[in-house]
Amino acid sequence: MIGDHVYVDGDVVPRDEAKVSVFDHGFVYGDGVFEGIAVANRGIFKLEAHLSRLEDSARYLAITPALSRNDLVAAAVETARRNALDDGYLRIVLTRGAGPVGIRNIDQLGRPTLVIIAQHEAREARERIYRDGQTAMVSSLRRVPAESVDPKAKTCNYINNILAYLEAKAAGATTALMLDARGHVAETYAANIFCARGRRVMTPRLGAILNGITRQTVIELGRGLGLDMLETDLTLADLYCADEVFETGSLAEIKPVVRIGGRSIGSGRPGPVAGTLHGALRELMISGTESVRF
Ligand code: PMP
């Protein structure tokens, strides 16, 4: 459920009054960047890491945020507080701004637009997926290569991912697995991917994927638990032969994938490695030690 209040360019306004210009190049071209951040137990999880990635994505597109880091933190905190966002999600969107259409006119735009949306997301709604796992289909679409648009940047151009999701939905699957241009496993349409074989846990190395903040957290948590965490090239065969496959993301947290392209993975049920890592991740999110409380 969308929160009652939205931050738009310096003001927190009621949801119905939250508006941006139709001339905004974020709307016209998808010319912008964004972040999706989990909120748990009245804490914004890994806010600094998300803002750092937002700033990097913006720098990549040569968009200069109107706000300093401290002001971005304050805006996120204010939005979460005004929405009494106990559990949910903050979406920060930063676009190049409004002005004449035409890419050639980007120097004539006003200041970049900044919007922060709060969304209440009860964890219970996802409980069934954590318990039963999800089904993936292998998308016919390759992840856009870094030579075209570097997937490290979280830009508002999600067409590649949306097309993959549409394929999965049409096939009756809940997630879309995407390969990179070389045919290695990249990520799913909105999350990073891991597989486990015994105590060895593997995930695609950086290159054709978003450098997921949850991915990094899970790698660190896994090492702390004595698992052998490895970033490497993976093929579909590695996933087919794994004991467990799971997705990671800020909102997804850790979602087991129990079927890929009609094949059962491991026991066909969510496994203990995903379960243990998810428990550790939840504990960290609830503890507040890596969250900004409000
Ligand atoms: N890959 C893609 C394509 C994503 O959109 C996301 C975020 N939803 C992720 C990975 C996971 O990133 P994070 O853990 O930083 O949320």
Side-chain angles (χ1 to χ4, degrees):
M1 190 190 41
I2 301 169
D4 288 337
H5 287 85
V6 181
Y7 175 99
V8 187
D9 288 332
D11 296 312
V12 177
V13 297
R15 183 172 58 196
D16 294 346
E17 292 167 24
K19 300 213 165 43
V20 293
S21 167
V22 295
F23 304 111
D24 196 296
H25 279 214
F27 173 68
V28 178
Y29 294 111
D31 187 359
V33 299
F34 75 100
E35 279 299 318
I37 312 172
V39 174
N41 198 21
R42 289 202 154 239
I44 309 174
F45 187 55
K46 299 263 181 191
L47 177 60
E48 294 285 351
H50 281 280
L51 292 178
S52 169
R53 187 170 67 186
L54 182 82
E55 288 162 356
D56 281 351
S57 300
R59 198 170 296 134
Y60 177 59
L61 297 196
I63 295 175
T64 310
L67 297 189
S68 66
R69 170 67 70 87
N70 283 347
D71 290 343
L72 282 170
V73 170
V77 165
E78 178 64 7
T79 310
R81 187 186 299 131
R82 289 284 291 278
N83 283 284
L85 190 64
D86 291 337
D87 270 293
Y89 185 72
L90 279 183
R91 164 63 55 97
I92 306 184
V93 187
L94 172 72
T95 73
R96 199 176 297 277
V101 295
I103 293 171
R104 66 190 177 284
N105 291 321
I106 56 175
D107 289 337
Q108 295 183 45
L109 306 184
R111 63 171 186 181
T113 303
L114 182 68
V115 171
I116 309 179
I117 298 167
Q119 194 149 297
H120 300 274
E121 298 268 357
R123 187 172 181 271
E124 292 68 43
R126 301 195 299 277
E127 212 61 64
R128 198 183 54 76
I129 280 188
Y130 297 138
R131 201 184 56 234
D132 296 342
Q134 40 176 4
T135 55
M137 71 95 69
V138 183
S139 175
S140 70
L141 296 158
R142 296 294 169 93
R143 194 76 183 88
V144 169
E147 291 81 357
S148 298
V149 179
D150 197 319
K152 272 203 289 297
K154 201 162 164 63
T155 78
C156 291
N157 257 272
Y158 254 50
I159 297 303
N160 187 219
N161 314 57
I162 290 165
L163 289 172
Y165 176 73
L166 288 174
E167 273 189 351
K169 195 157 112 51
T174 47
T175 191
L177 182 65
M178 303 184 78
L179 307 182
D180 67 18
R182 305 167 306 156
H184 288 119
V185 173
E187 56 188 339
T188 66
Y189 77 99
N192 291 113
I193 192 109
F194 284 72
C195 67
R197 197 155 183 172
R199 292 189 68 76
R200 168 164 282 196
V201 182
M202 291 170 285
T203 193
R205 63 185 170 80
L206 297 180
I209 62 172
L210 184 74
N211 186 2
I213 289 163
T214 320
R215 171 186 181 277
Q216 196 53 48
T217 306
V218 164
I219 290 172
E220 286 158 20
L221 287 171
R223 294 210 168 114
L225 289 164
L227 295 165
D228 180 15
M229 306 300 290
L230 201 65
E231 297 172 67
T232 183
D233 283 337
L234 292 174
T235 65
L236 271 179
D238 294 316
L239 300 196
Y240 290 152
C241 300
D243 299 332
E244 295 180 38
V245 172
F246 55 89
E247 287 184 319
T248 68
S250 292
L251 188 64
E253 297 176 11
I254 296 182
K255 283 186 178 166
V257 176
V258 295
R259 292 182 79 78
I260 300 176
R263 292 172 182 238
S264 216
I265 304 300
S267 67
R269 297 287 309 156
V273 172
T276 304
L277 285 167
H278 196 182
L281 176 64
R282 255 337 268 182
E283 210 174 291
L284 186 62
M285 291 172 76
I286 298 289
S287 75
T289 52
E290 297 192 23
S291 307
V292 175
R293 305 306 281 261
F294 55 91

